[in-house]
């Protein structure tokens, strides 16, 4: 994507993109455990991939560097998880978008970690109350595992297969999420799953991951098209 990554550009180049109507897409992820087979960057990888595919589909999109930290306290106890909590994430996004709005009239947040949903929603509400044009996309999928199971494993197989340790892949707690919620609320993921997986990565395929990436990209492109056409993007 030459010329579409914000960090690769000079300020005069950004100025020219903005003069042509560019919006800024900000990927928001996390650095948290995803079982013994997936990298800590999984959520950030997904958010960045969707922003990059949006930029390929639309010529008015610049992609900001990914925000790699999120609200991941539920994954405490697994080495490597780095969480900044809900309040810090909310403030980070508010200040980041306020700064971005000095340059960009339109800012899109793409957050791929479910634990970020509440602080992202509060940040967007606050920014909209300040009359800033902010949209948010929270990718989700029906029927998939809750965490580090077949769905996310398939996504990473499609995006970054060299980062997986498939020999280490193993099922975690496969009970329905609704049944697990009391345990998760009381003690986090570690209390519900020794290996950090909520689901089973068995059967994950590149084809399934690629199909889901296409589906999510189509949803994102359609939402941004509605937003830019003057119909408000889906609220968080």
């Amino acid at each position: 994507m030459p010329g579409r990554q914000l960090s690769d550009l000079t300020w005069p180049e950004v100025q020219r993109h903005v003069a042509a109507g560019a919006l800024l897409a900000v990927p928001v992820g996390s650095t948290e455990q995803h079982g013994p087979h997936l990298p800590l960057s999984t959520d950030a990888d997904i958010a960045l991939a969707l922003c990059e595919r949006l930029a390929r589909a639309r010529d008015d999109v610049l992609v900001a560097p990914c925000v790699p930290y999120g609200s991941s306290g539920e994954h405490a106890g697994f080495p490597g998880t780095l969480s900044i909590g809900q309040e810090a994430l909310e403030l980070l996004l508010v200040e980041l978008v306020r700064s971005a709005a000095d340059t960009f009239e339109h800012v899109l947040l793409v957050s791929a970690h479910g634990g970020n949903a509440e602080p992202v929603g509060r940040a967007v509400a606050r920014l909209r109350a300040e009359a800033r044009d902010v949209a948010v996309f929270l990718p989700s999928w029906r029927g998939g595992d809750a965490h580090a199971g077949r769905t996310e494993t398939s996504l990473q197989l499609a995006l970054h297969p060299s980062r997986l340790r498939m020999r280490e892949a193993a099922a975690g707690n496969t009970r329905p999420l609704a049944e697990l919620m009391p345990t998760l609320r009381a003690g986090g993921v570690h209390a519900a799953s020794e290996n950090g997986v909520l689901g089973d990565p068995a059967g994950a395929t590149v084809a399934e991951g690629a199909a889901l990436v296409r589906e999510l990209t189509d949803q994102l492109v359609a939402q941004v098209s509605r937003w830019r056409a003057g119909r408000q993007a889906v609220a968080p």
Side-chain angles (χ1 to χ4, degrees):
M1 281 179 29
R4 307 298 290 282
Q5 297 280 1
L6 183 70
S7 58
D8 291 340
L9 302 177
T10 66
W11 75 259
E13 291 169 335
V14 173
Q15 188 174 57
R16 288 193 287 272
H17 280 284
V18 170
L23 64 91
L24 183 67
V26 182
V28 183
S30 69
T31 299
E32 66 180 42
Q33 73 83 21
H34 274 75
H37 65 297
L38 294 178
L40 300 171
S41 64
T42 293
D43 291 336
D45 292 342
I46 294 169
L48 179 58
L50 292 175
C51 288
E52 290 176 342
R53 282 158 176 75
L54 175 67
R56 291 172 189 160
R58 296 181 59 101
D59 60 8
D60 62 347
V61 176
L62 294 182
V63 179
C66 185
V67 177
Y69 305 113
S71 178
S72 302
E74 68 274 18
H75 295 283
F78 291 96
T81 294
L82 301 176
S83 174
I84 61 174
Q86 291 200 9
E87 291 185 8
L89 179 61
E90 178 183 349
L91 180 59
L92 184 155
L93 294 176
V94 167
E95 294 296 342
L96 181 64
V97 174
R98 284 173 175 167
S99 177
D102 288 341
T103 301
F104 296 90
E105 185 176 353
H106 316 288
V107 180
L108 168 71
L109 302 177
V110 177
S111 176
H113 169 50
N116 290 345
E118 290 186 13
V120 168
R122 292 195 298 268
V124 169
R126 187 170 172 183
L127 290 160
R128 287 177 179 168
E130 297 174 355
R132 304 181 195 278
D133 190 16
V134 184
V136 61
F137 181 73
L138 306 173
S140 62
W141 40 84
R142 297 178 182 176
D145 297 279
H147 186 74
R150 175 173 171 166
T151 304
E152 287 189 310
T153 302
S154 293
L155 284 168
Q156 275 289 34
L157 282 170
L159 296 175
H160 301 290
S162 65
R163 298 186 188 177
L164 277 71
R165 286 77 161 170
M166 289 306 294
R167 291 183 179 180
E168 305 298 326
N173 194 325
T174 59
R175 291 166 57 197
L177 184 59
E179 294 182 15
L180 292 175
M181 284 309 297
T183 301
L184 294 173
R185 290 194 183 100
V189 175
H190 202 279
S193 174
E194 184 177 348
N195 69 354
V197 177
L198 301 178
D200 187 351
T205 65
V206 173
E208 181 178 348
L212 184 52
V213 170
R214 288 193 297 271
E215 178 183 338
L216 294 173
T217 300
D218 289 345
Q219 293 173 9
L220 175 57
V221 171
Q223 180 174 318
V224 171
S225 295
R226 292 194 299 271
W227 173 41
R228 300 303 304 119
R231 300 188 294 277
Q232 182 60 58
V234 176

